[in-house]
Amino acid sequence: HIAPNPANDMIQVLSSQRGIIEIADILGRINLSTPIFIPQSQIDISSLSAGVYVYHFKTENEQTLNGKLVIVK
């Protein structure tokens, strides 16, 4: 789960599993990739421009969770 959505400068990733989250633009270019080690991780997204992004959370158990992230400035 990612919150808040829409987001501005920070997002929280809430997960019971470790993994890697990737945030990509609508063309599929990965703009951010970061490991998630704890159940509640804060990620700085202030470097990303306003727009619609897709996130992929790949868990250590080989599961992939996908969703849409809206960034507003």
Side-chain angles (χ1 to χ4, degrees):
H1 178 72
I2 289 184
N5 193 359
N8 187 347
D9 291 330
M10 298 289 286
I11 57 172
Q12 256 186 347
V13 178
L14 308 169
S15 175
S16 60
Q17 298 184 39
R18 295 179 184 190
I20 295 175
I21 189 162
E22 297 177 337
I23 298 176
D25 61 22
I26 58 172
L27 300 176
R29 295 179 295 219
I30 296 174
N31 296 91
L32 183 72
S33 179
T34 189
I36 302 298
F37 297 114
I38 58 175
Q40 189 171 352
S41 298
Q42 294 242 359
I43 299 174
D44 182 356
I45 57 167
S46 61
S47 64
L48 300 178
S49 300
V52 178
Y53 294 82
V54 176
Y55 67 84
H56 309 283
F57 181 59
K58 300 174 185 177
T59 69
E60 61 187 359
N61 296 337
E62 302 299 320
Q63 293 178 321
T64 301
L65 307 168
N66 303 305
K68 181 174 72 169
L69 173 65
V70 177
I71 298 177
V72 295
K73 297 288 181 173

